[in-house]
């Protein structure tokens, strides 16, 4: 039988933080978790858009619903968000690393990283490592990182992770999404080795109708892509369907750390959640460890620069 939001077990007493919760898959994930009893923290870069989402979700929310202003493209904001979680709740059961940006012209985060690698990967790396202490010891705590089919085309260019020598906006997006799944697997291995109560899982939505594509077209100004998305529209499923793999990873009792979930039809573009293939590079332990160490270094340097 197909897994739907009706299959989500009761989430009462659990606290979930979702990045990019004001739009698309994040908004649908927040709706589903809040209506199943979780207290949900909507981590959004715009307080106004976060409050609008909160107002939309409030009637269906069974427990707390709060907005946390958090910009993943600014590591000081990420650190402040983690401190706020510590002070406000002191615990966390589910972290949904969902927010993402796709295909802009080359731009930098506040800390000087290429925008897609900096937001999609480094921002979530920094947030996760800062929040893990709040999750440790919690029963069945989970970190779910949202990837993409783009991971299969991605390459981690360790000699040019910030695309300084050559910027291709799709190669940079694919790199960031490969980094997401690589990070999720390395995190799982480290948590398991430490005997942690936290597990790390990955999920991708297939093709889902959200603001990701319009925002990408708006930033690039590409008329060709605008037309391509219009022609491809029948292939896209709703944001609510696209959110199912990450909701499955977040809540299904049978979902396991180190696994990757995505849609089960049309080569992973549509359908209900099932376990799906992981990009080979993410399965290489040396690549995983190298990405972790580089990310730790970059995030650490940014914190030092801020303190100086
Ligand atoms: N839709 C698809 O077909 C598809 C396919 C594969 C993977 N994905 C992945 O799914 C995830 C969710 O995307 P979506 O499709 O739901 O797109 P979306 O509707 O555009 O939502 C993206 C969310 O990320 C937020 N965000 C962007 N930059 C941020 C930053 N610096 N700090 C904090 N939040 C930021 C956006 O905030 P604003 O509203 O303020 O811009 C928005 O809330 C992404 O990781 C994406 O890569 C989507």
């Amino acid at each position: 039988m197909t897994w739907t939001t009706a299959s989500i077990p009761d989430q009462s007493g659990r606290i979930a933080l979702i990045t990019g919760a004001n739009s698309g898959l994040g908004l649908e994930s927040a709706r589903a978790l809040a209506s199943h009893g979780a207290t949900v923290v909507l981590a959004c870069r715009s307080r106004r858009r976060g409050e609008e989402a909160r107002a939309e979700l409030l009637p269906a929310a069974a427990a707390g619903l709060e907005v946390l202003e958090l910009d993943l493209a600014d590591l000081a904001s990420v650190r402040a968000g983690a401190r706020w979680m510590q002070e406000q709740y002191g615990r966390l059961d589910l972290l949904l690393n969902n927010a993402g940006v796709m295909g802009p012209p080359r731009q930098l985060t506040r800390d000087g990283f290429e925008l897609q690698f900096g937001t999609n990967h480094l921002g979530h790396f920094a947030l996760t490592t800062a929040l893990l202490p709040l999750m440790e010891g919690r029963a069945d705590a989970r970190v779910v990182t949202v990837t993409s089919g783009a991971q299969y085309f991605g390459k981690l260019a360790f000699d040019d992770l910030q695309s300084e020598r050559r910027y291709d906006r799709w190669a940079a997006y694919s790199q960031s999404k490969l980094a997401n799944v690589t990070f999720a697997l390395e995190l799982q291995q480290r948590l398991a080795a430490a005997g942690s109560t936290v597990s790390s899982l990955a999920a991708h939505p297939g093709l889902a109708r959200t603001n990701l594509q319009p925002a990408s077209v708006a930033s690039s100004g590409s008329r060709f892509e605008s037309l391509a998305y219009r022609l491809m529209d029948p292939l896209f499923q709703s944001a609510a369907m696209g959110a199912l793999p990450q909701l499955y990873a977040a809540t299904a009792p049978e979902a396991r750390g180190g696994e990757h979930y995505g849609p089960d039809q049309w080569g992973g573009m549509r359908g209900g959640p099932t376990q799906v293939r992981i990009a080979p590079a993410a399965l290489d332990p040396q690549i995983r460890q190298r990405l972790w160490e580089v990310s730790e270094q970059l995030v650490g340097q940014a914190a030092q620069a801020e303190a100086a």
Side-chain angles (χ1 to χ4, degrees), residues 57-125:
L57 299 179
L58 259 182
L65 199 54
E66 266 201 272
V67 176
L68 164 63
E69 195 175 324
L70 190 151
D71 184 354
L72 290 160
D74 175 356
L75 294 178
S77 164
V78 171
R79 288 190 295 272
R83 278 197 302 275
W84 182 87
M85 281 301 293
Q86 163 70 53
E87 286 155 16
Q88 196 76 4
Y89 294 100
R91 64 190 175 92
L92 180 65
D93 300 286
L94 169 65
L95 170 60
L96 193 34
N97 287 328
N98 161 83
V101 58
M102 180 175 81
R106 190 166 188 278
Q107 291 168 43
L108 301 182
T109 67
R110 187 163 177 269
D111 304 282
F113 303 121
E114 185 280 316
L115 188 69
Q116 300 184 83
F117 188 73
T119 305
N120 301 355
H121 170 61
L122 288 176
H124 282 128
F125 178 90

Side-chain angles (χ1 to χ4, degrees), residues 9-15 33 36-39 62-63:
D10 181 27
Q11 300 293 303
S12 301
R14 287 175 72 78
I15 301 177
L33 293 169
H36 282 81
T39 291

Side-chain angles (χ1 to χ4, degrees), residues 22-23 25 45 49 71-72 98 100 173 177 206 208 210-212:
N22 61 288
S23 175
L25 310 178
R45 65 173 154 176
R49 289 193 286 276
D71 184 354
L72 290 160
N98 161 83
Y173 179 68
K177 291 283 120 182
T210 67
N211 198 38
L212 196 68

Side-chain angles (χ1 to χ4, degrees), residues 72 74-76 78-79 109 111 113 117-119 121-130 162 183 291-307:
L72 290 160
D74 175 356
L75 294 178
V78 171
R79 288 190 295 272
T109 67
D111 304 282
F113 303 121
F117 188 73
T119 305
H121 170 61
L122 288 176
H124 282 128
F125 178 90
L127 181 65
T128 306
T129 48
Q162 311 305 333
F183 161 66
L291 178 68
W292 185 283
E293 285 168 1
V294 171
S295 306
E296 214 165 37
Q297 231 172 33
L298 293 172
V299 165
Q301 283 165 3
Q304 275 174 6
E306 175 84 13

Side-chain angles (χ1 to χ4, degrees), residues 6-299:
S7 319
I8 295 176
D10 181 27
Q11 300 293 303
S12 301
R14 287 175 72 78
I15 301 177
L17 183 147
I18 306 175
T19 63
N22 61 288
S23 175
L25 310 178
L27 180 64
E28 293 308 322
S29 299
R31 193 189 311 280
L33 293 169
S35 65
H36 282 81
T39 291
V40 180
V41 177
L42 311 168
C44 306
R45 65 173 154 176
S46 151
R47 177 163 293 281
R48 177 182 59 77
R49 289 193 286 276
E51 290 296 351
E52 283 167 9
R54 180 172 179 273
E56 178 183 332
L57 299 179
L58 259 182
L65 199 54
E66 266 201 272
V67 176
L68 164 63
E69 195 175 324
L70 190 151
D71 184 354
L72 290 160
D74 175 356
L75 294 178
S77 164
V78 171
R79 288 190 295 272
R83 278 197 302 275
W84 182 87
M85 281 301 293
Q86 163 70 53
E87 286 155 16
Q88 196 76 4
Y89 294 100
R91 64 190 175 92
L92 180 65
D93 300 286
L94 169 65
L95 170 60
L96 193 34
N97 287 328
N98 161 83
V101 58
M102 180 175 81
R106 190 166 188 278
Q107 291 168 43
L108 301 182
T109 67
R110 187 163 177 269
D111 304 282
F113 303 121
E114 185 280 316
L115 188 69
Q116 300 184 83
F117 188 73
T119 305
N120 301 355
H121 170 61
L122 288 176
H124 282 128
F125 178 90
L127 181 65
T128 306
T129 48
L131 289 176
L132 275 177
L134 306 193
M135 306 181 79
E136 195 49 67
R138 304 287 302 163
D140 194 21
R142 301 185 193 192
V143 177
V144 176
T145 302
V146 179
T147 67
S148 160
Q151 68 175 276
Y152 305 124
F153 311 105
K155 185 172 173 296
L156 292 165
F158 283 107
D159 59 345
D160 191 21
L161 281 174
Q162 311 305 333
S163 312
E164 283 163 317
R165 286 210 299 275
R166 181 173 174 274
Y167 182 67
D168 174 299
R169 55 202 182 86
W170 295 111
Y173 179 68
S174 304
Q175 170 175 262
S176 74
K177 291 283 120 182
L178 176 58
N180 282 149
V181 66
T182 305
F183 161 66
L185 264 55
E186 180 65 14
L187 176 62
Q188 171 59 24
Q189 186 172 317
R190 287 172 184 246
L191 291 168
S196 173
T197 61
V198 187
S199 50
S200 165
L201 307 90
H204 83 82
L207 291 178
R209 213 172 278 114
T210 67
N211 198 38
L212 196 68
Q213 295 80 17
S216 174
V217 168
S219 67
S220 72
S222 168
R223 281 202 225 149
F224 168 75
E225 279 166 30
S226 169
L227 175 66
Y229 285 130
R230 258 181 282 154
L231 294 173
M232 283 164 65
D233 187 69
L235 293 177
F236 280 69
Q237 57 183 355
S238 66
M241 278 300 292
L244 290 181
Q246 61 203 57
L247 285 166
Y248 181 89
T251 65
E254 61 276 20
R256 292 279 169 271
E259 290 184 356
H260 179 224
Y261 302 97
D264 61 356
Q265 292 166 31
W266 291 22
M269 288 192 285
R270 298 175 64 96
T274 190
Q275 200 179 335
V276 294
R277 173 172 92 78
I278 293 169
L283 297 169
D284 181 329
Q286 282 180 341
I287 292 181
R288 292 210 306 249
Q289 193 178 337
R290 189 170 177 192
L291 178 68
W292 185 283
E293 285 168 1
V294 171
S295 306
E296 214 165 37
Q297 231 172 33
L298 293 172
V299 165

